[in-house]
Amino acid sequence: MNRLIAVIGGDARYLELIKQLKNVPNNKLLLCGFDKLEQGFTGLNELELDELDPSTLDVVILPITGIDQNGKVETVFTDKEIHLEPNWFQQLKKTCVVFTGITNDYLTEQTKNSGVKLIPLLERDDVAIYNSIPTAEGAIMMAFEQTDQTIHSSRVMVVGFGRVGNTVANKFSALGAHVSVCARSIKDLARITEMGLQAIPLSKMAEYTSECDILINTIPALVVTKESIQHLPTNAVIIDLASKPGGTDFTYAKRRGINAILARSLPGIVAPRTAGKILADVVNQILDEERSES
């Protein structure tokens, strides 16, 4: 039984995702928002939105960034605007599954009102853990670019010990950096110590930033505050990996002359092919689970 999949918009990661999904038997792909690509690149025809019949679709894959509050789809490979109106969602069959990277009130409301299943991929643990690898490698790349010293023997402070923070701390430590990790929970602080790294309670971060060359934040809340930044050495760099607007007081960092960078979507920048394969693998796994349950 064929599975009709519409990929609507997306960035470089989606080129690999399309390739991977196309290779799965019974998957039939329709592309919308890729007219800048030669058809031979994907081997698939590109359609206009009004040429897509929503009632026939089994799967809709929206960009990692989702859609805005007006239904506008973020696109990279077309200059044409694509809007998904409430009526478009209403035409989807109830068994349709809608994938996005992140959702918002508009998308959540439209899928709920239409009775279709919405899966925000970046909220899943498996995707976040897989993505933490290219994210950490991207942070390493930025550290090389933004500093004038080796990572080996550098004093690196990682703020947060979640899925990304754990991997970042591991990778920098493996390169010979002196890594400290700031975390809230006693359990995380114990694990950090067990890993041979310096564990710092998040509430005491400001007491340790004077001995930091590279500060890497992974917490999507304002945690790298004026108090912490004012003690950083002037040649230190802040790499903020948290989702927009980050967790750093960028205004104060600039005032102090500290190089602070909001590094968003690193997997899609440093390793789009790997990031696309990760997404395709998870999408295929979810769809196979959905089919076995039905």
Side-chain angles (χ1 to χ4, degrees):
M1 183 177 177
N2 286 339
R3 180 192 286 149
L4 193 57
I5 302 173
V7 182
I8 304 176
D11 56 19
R13 285 170 280 195
Y14 276 37
L15 301 183
E16 182 65 20
L17 174 131
I18 290 165
K19 176 183 173 183
Q20 295 288 332
L21 292 179
K22 185 182 69 171
N23 291 335
V24 175
N26 301 323
N27 277 356
K28 181 179 179 183
L29 268 65
L30 303 173
L31 307 185
C32 181
F34 293 87
D35 56 76
K36 280 187 179 179
L37 295 176
E38 294 184 12
Q39 290 183 5
F41 187 86
T42 61
L44 299 166
N45 290 328
E46 206 281 337
L47 304 174
E48 300 289 336
L49 183 64
D50 58 12
E51 295 177 302
L52 281 177
D53 182 355
S55 67
T56 65
L57 302 177
D58 300 300
V59 180
V60 174
I61 301 179
L62 300 175
I64 285 298
T65 49
I67 59 180
D68 69 15
Q69 293 289 3
N70 298 312
K72 182 181 178 183
V73 179
E74 181 172 303
T75 58
V76 173
F77 299 108
T78 185
D79 294 323
K80 302 170 185 175
E81 287 198 357
I82 300 174
H83 285 84
L84 300 181
E85 306 293 342
N87 180 58
W88 191 89
F89 287 98
Q90 290 292 336
Q91 296 177 63
L92 294 172
K93 53 189 179 184
K94 303 302 181 186
T95 55
C96 183
V97 180
V98 177
F99 291 94
T100 183
I102 55 176
T103 188
N104 59 14
D105 291 343
Y106 177 83
L107 180 55
T108 300
E109 181 181 357
Q110 298 311 320
T111 51
K112 182 179 179 181
N113 291 343
S114 303
V116 299
K117 187 169 187 176
L118 174 66
I119 300 178
L121 289 166
L122 295 190
E123 293 180 10
R124 291 176 56 92
D125 282 340
D126 49 1
V127 174
I129 292 169
Y130 288 136
N131 270 338
S132 71
I133 299 169
T135 297
E137 291 187 4
I140 291 168
M141 178 189 75
M142 296 190 73
F144 277 126
E145 292 174 347
Q146 301 297 329
T147 62
D148 56 2
Q149 63 190 84
T150 61
I151 290 176
H152 188 278
S153 297
S154 290
R155 300 168 299 177
V156 176
M157 178 179 288
V158 179
V159 183
F161 195 63
R163 298 162 301 198
V164 173
N166 189 318
T167 303
V168 169
N170 262 314
K171 298 299 184 187
F172 274 87
S173 178
L175 289 173
H178 301 299
V179 178
S180 58
V181 184
C182 298
R184 286 192 180 93
S185 81
I186 294 174
K187 178 182 175 182
D188 285 343
L189 293 170
R191 177 59 67 189
I192 293 161
T193 302
E194 182 274 331
M195 291 168 58
L197 309 178
Q198 182 181 14
I200 300 172
L202 187 61
S203 59
K204 295 185 177 181
M205 177 169 59
E207 299 175 22
Y208 294 85
T209 51
S210 61
E211 298 182 1
C212 173
D213 301 309
I214 304 167
L215 190 153
I216 303 171
N217 176 55
T218 67
I219 299 177
L222 184 57
V223 289
V224 185
T225 60
K226 174 182 176 181
E227 289 71 30
S228 297
I229 296 171
Q230 66 185 357
H231 297 300
L232 282 170
T234 54
N235 65 335
V237 60
I238 299 172
I239 301 173
D240 199 318
L241 303 178
S243 55
K244 191 177 181 180
T248 300
D249 187 338
F250 289 99
T251 302
Y252 182 74
K254 184 176 182 180
R255 195 180 308 151
R256 259 220 69 203
I258 299 291
N259 185 13
I261 306 157
L262 179 58
R264 297 176 58 214
S265 303
L266 280 181
I269 295 171
V270 302
R273 188 160 66 88
T274 299
K277 187 177 185 305
I278 289 169
L279 294 172
D281 288 345
V282 173
V283 167
N284 277 324
Q285 181 181 347
I286 293 171
L287 293 177
D288 286 344
E289 290 173 357
E290 292 279 327
R291 175 173 287 176
S292 64
E293 291 173 2
S294 61

